[in-house]
Amino acid sequence: MARIVKHEKKLPVAIEEKDAKFPIYLCACGLSSSFPYCDGSHDRAKDEAENAIYIYDKDKRIKL
Ligand code: FES
């Protein structure tokens, strides 16, 4: 089964906990292999064109 999910964010969401030394970064781009946590894979999306649609797999991306 395959599923297409639209993600428009290119950076993670930082969650600040009261007594934690560091924030937790949650993936908002949809590309993390450690979802729901950010693993830095959002770098693959940093040069996306506005209003374009991309399909990603683990090795490549296709611009539609
Ligand atoms: S926001 Fe998705 S990997 Fe960082």
Side-chain angles (χ1 to χ4, degrees):
M1 179 190 298
R3 179 173 297 113
I4 295 175
V5 178
K6 183 178 178 182
H7 291 268
E8 295 183 336
K9 302 284 187 196
K10 294 182 180 178
L11 293 172
V13 175
I15 305 295
E16 307 272 353
E17 291 191 287
K18 194 169 190 168
D19 296 322
K21 291 183 179 177
F22 305 103
I24 296 170
Y25 291 96
L26 299 179
C27 176
C29 75
L31 299 174
S32 177
S33 59
S34 302
F35 199 86
Y37 303 105
C38 173
D39 70 354
S41 295
H42 55 264
D43 282 348
R44 295 176 69 197
K46 67 184 175 189
D47 63 345
E48 290 178 344
E50 292 297 319
N51 301 317
I53 296 174
Y54 296 86
I55 295 176
Y56 287 84
D57 70 12
K58 66 180 179 73
D59 299 320
K60 64 182 184 292
R61 85 177 172 193
I62 299 167
K63 182 179 178 185
L64 300 182

